[in-house]
Amino acid sequence: MLLRILTAVVSMPVFLGLLYVGGWPLFALVAGMGLVGFYEYARLWRAKQISVPLALGGGGVVALCAWAFLAPGNAPLLGAIVTAILLTAFGWLIFRYRDHTVQEALVTVAGIFYVGWLLCHLLLLRGLGSGTGWDTGFRWLILAFLCTWVGDSVAYFVGINLGRHKLAPGISPNKSVEGAVGGGIGTVAVGWLWGPLVGVAPWLGALITAGAYVFSVLGDLTESALKRYAGVKDSGRILPGHGGVLDRFDSSLFVLPYIYYIALLVLRYGG
């Protein structure tokens, strides 16, 4: 626990600082997270003797992050990138059928979207405003991360002290229904307090973050299922006390797209 706290104390100011600054420093961080995250994803499948080509997958992840940073909202370009990644991944892997299987091609494409597509919404959220400083994008982005950080923390402490009923024993035996309820309440409180900062009424902020908590739990359980399938405790070791990038941002991967599209609706129609 002490190592976990020390890692958070050291890394959190740096992470928040890069979110605030935005621009190329943030892109470099997100692209790096994507590459590490895809490596961890490939490592999970390697434990089941399924090969995932790192160069192809990492290239797809960086391409999606580059689109999100350089041309947010450009739907035709997005379609071209998605199509190129899909055709390249399938074409390359199937062409090399002696070394790769159709299953590996599917797993590789799934990884590009699990890591790259979901993660690139961090950059899309940041780009909603001016791209730097205390702007609209930054405030929405902080809301997305608060949903996961507060929800996870409250769920953990409530679960330890009051947890009696298992939430998903076959996937994550340490999670409890009581912890999930506590995390949901904490997340709703975040929405009530932070809502006015993103231009919505407190009740609407609470409603938005209630939905975010559902996606947060789904993201957490998805990565837990992958780890259980691979038979490993953590996806990586890059963050002492936290595990890997996927361990730390599994919930956020599902929350970031949800908050992004909610933000688009609010900015277009008002809150």
Side-chain angles (χ1 to χ4, degrees), residues 210-234:
Y213 185 68
V214 174
F215 283 99
S216 175
V217 173
L218 288 175
D220 192 337
L221 292 178
T222 296
E223 202 236 353
S224 294
L226 286 173
K227 291 190 294 185
R228 180 163 289 271
Y229 177 72
V232 301
K233 182 179 183 295
D234 296 317

Side-chain angles (χ1 to χ4, degrees), residues 107-226:
V107 168
T108 300
V109 173
I112 291 172
F113 285 93
Y114 175 58
V115 179
W117 172 244
L118 298 181
L119 184 61
C120 80
H121 284 81
L122 189 159
L123 294 169
L124 290 174
L125 264 173
R126 192 64 189 89
L128 288 180
S130 63
T132 188
W134 183 268
D135 66 345
T136 300
F138 180 76
R139 293 194 295 271
W140 277 104
L141 194 54
I142 293 300
L143 176 63
F145 282 114
L146 284 176
C147 287
T148 58
W149 295 340
V150 173
D152 287 350
S153 298
V154 175
Y156 174 77
F157 287 108
V158 172
I160 286 180
N161 294 286
L162 301 175
R164 298 293 184 271
H165 302 87
K166 300 299 183 181
L167 178 65
I171 298 176
S172 185
N174 293 327
K175 290 181 173 58
S176 67
V177 173
E178 292 81 2
V181 171
I185 293 172
T187 305
V188 167
V190 166
W192 183 273
L193 296 172
W194 198 265
L197 293 178
V198 293
V200 301
W203 69 267
L204 183 54
L207 185 62
I208 290 171
T209 52
Y213 185 68
V214 174
F215 283 99
S216 175
V217 173
L218 288 175
D220 192 337
L221 292 178
T222 296
E223 202 236 353
S224 294
L226 286 173

